[in-house]
Amino acid sequence: MYLKALILSSIFTFTIFLCSFSGDSDQGDNLKQSLERGKELYRSYCITCHIQNGKGVPEIFPPLAHSDYLMDNAGRSIEQVINGVSGEITVNGVTYNNVMPGFDMTDQEVADVLNYIRNSWGNKGEVITEKQVSSFRK
């Protein structure tokens, strides 16, 4: 009896878990909208340095496309969009030493631009949420 209850409980929990990550059209639509907004924000804030294709400018501005540095740490990316970054960083084995200012964006805008960048040009990143961004401002 205990084993049967444990199995049923596990199946129920697993089903709830799957439903929360299933192809819910609202979640898919929300991500699609986030990527569209993020693309516009990228054009406004990032394209000058990181170029339209995300490849940056060799030895001056690091690439975002296929960037180990970007994809390695989502939290660091959030902090750098908010606060900027200066000093040496190493991206794909190349050292860059420049300044990127922080941007005056809402939490949703930071999430949107990072969702676009982290899911473009061959990058495949997890979704960044407004709530995650908010937690880095505290």
Side-chain angles (χ1 to χ4, degrees), residues 4-129:
K4 184 177 181 180
L6 181 63
I7 291 171
L8 288 175
S9 174
S10 297
I11 290 171
F12 178 75
T13 302
F14 185 69
T15 302
I16 296 298
F17 173 79
L18 285 179
C19 288
S20 70
F21 290 101
S22 69
D24 180 347
S25 63
D26 286 343
Q27 185 176 0
D29 289 346
N30 289 339
L31 177 58
K32 182 178 178 184
Q33 291 169 357
S34 176
L35 295 175
E36 289 172 7
R37 291 187 306 262
K39 184 175 186 176
E40 292 305 312
L41 290 163
Y42 182 85
R43 288 178 179 163
S44 296
Y45 291 93
C46 314
I47 202 167
T48 302
C49 298
H50 296 287
I51 311 303
Q52 184 173 356
N53 60 11
K55 291 185 178 179
V57 177
E59 299 180 27
I60 300 172
F61 300 114
L64 301 175
H66 303 285
S67 169
D68 60 354
Y69 182 85
L70 171 74
M71 300 307 291
D72 183 49
N73 188 326
R76 177 179 60 207
S77 296
I78 292 168
E79 288 178 339
Q80 289 179 343
V81 169
I82 295 169
N83 300 316
V85 63
S86 63
E88 288 188 354
I89 63 170
T90 302
V91 180
N92 300 339
V94 177
T95 301
Y96 295 84
N97 190 358
N98 214 326
V99 175
M100 181 183 94
F103 296 101
D104 185 22
M105 295 180 174
T106 66
D107 294 346
Q108 185 64 60
E109 288 172 330
V110 172
D112 290 342
V113 76
L114 284 173
N115 283 330
Y116 174 72
I117 292 167
R118 292 172 52 83
N119 288 283
S120 296
W121 318 297
N123 296 333
K124 297 288 183 204
E126 72 275 4
V127 174
I128 304 293
T129 66

